[in-house]
Amino acid sequence: MAQSLLVLHGPNLNLLGHREPDTYGHTTLEEIDAMLAELVAVRGAKLATFPSNHEGALVDRGQAARGDGTDFIVVNPAAFTHTSVALRDALAAVALPFVEVHLSNVHRREEFRHRSYLADLAVGVVCGLGVAGYRSAVSFALDYC
Ligand code: CA2
């Protein structure tokens, strides 16, 4: 069976490449997804991506991963990183390995961004590497599965 990866993108990441390039870079979310799709295809694996601005939609998609053959989740929960017990509970219930990704180095930013509700459940956390962080997380996932 081919490995199957799910990438979840949290709120406002749909603005990537269009606003605040100094913080988040010039690459759009569509370009990130295309880059990851290529990386995954080369390894003969499968990729599903799910962007949403809505906490419940991310919870629903995370829950669905349990029964749809997903082997590994890469998630940038964006602002929900710092607020969402619901997303934490969903990922804990799903019990699939996941990596948390942030484009920016959240530890160099405001204090409220230093706390993650997901990080202690994650296999690992990547932050501050920009788009390369997504690539690293997906490469890691492919090796892990
Ligand atoms: O650095 C990251 O990837 C973050 O997850 C991004 C979140 C932020 O709340 C986290 O603390 C760190 C914000 C995503 C908003 O994305 C935007 C992209 C372009 C313009 C405005 C927002």
Side-chain angles (χ1 to χ4, degrees):
M1 262 294 254
Q3 297 163 314
S4 186
L5 272 50
L6 170 65
V7 177
L8 297 174
H9 301 293
N12 297 307
L13 290 167
N14 58 306
L15 300 177
L16 282 177
H18 303 291
R19 304 265 199 287
E20 300 184 39
D22 290 349
T23 307
Y24 297 116
H26 288 90
T27 311
T28 67
L29 196 59
E30 291 74 18
E31 288 167 342
I32 290 174
D33 284 348
M35 185 188 74
L36 299 181
E38 208 177 305
L39 193 62
V40 165
V42 166
R43 297 280 292 267
K46 291 196 293 183
L47 177 72
T49 58
F50 186 80
S52 182
N53 288 328
H54 303 281
E55 187 176 18
L58 291 162
V59 167
D60 286 345
R61 186 62 188 91
Q63 284 186 16
R66 185 71 188 159
D68 72 359
T70 298
D71 298 303
F72 199 104
I73 298 174
V74 171
V75 54
N76 183 347
F80 294 145
T81 309
H82 319 298
T83 63
S84 183
V85 177
L87 196 53
R88 175 192 173 85
D89 288 347
L91 289 171
V94 160
L96 287 169
F98 73 92
V99 166
E100 177 181 324
V101 175
H102 299 286
L103 292 155
S104 63
N105 181 351
V106 287
H107 301 291
R108 295 180 69 175
R109 302 183 65 191
E110 304 96 320
E111 185 97 25
F112 69 85
R113 295 188 201 275
H114 300 180
R115 174 178 187 179
S116 168
Y117 278 91
L118 309 183
D120 65 299
L121 299 177
V123 177
V125 179
V126 184
C127 77
L129 304 185
V131 172
Y134 278 98
R135 294 181 67 93
S136 302
V138 165
S139 296
F140 175 84
L142 291 167
D143 291 340
Y144 184 96
C145 293

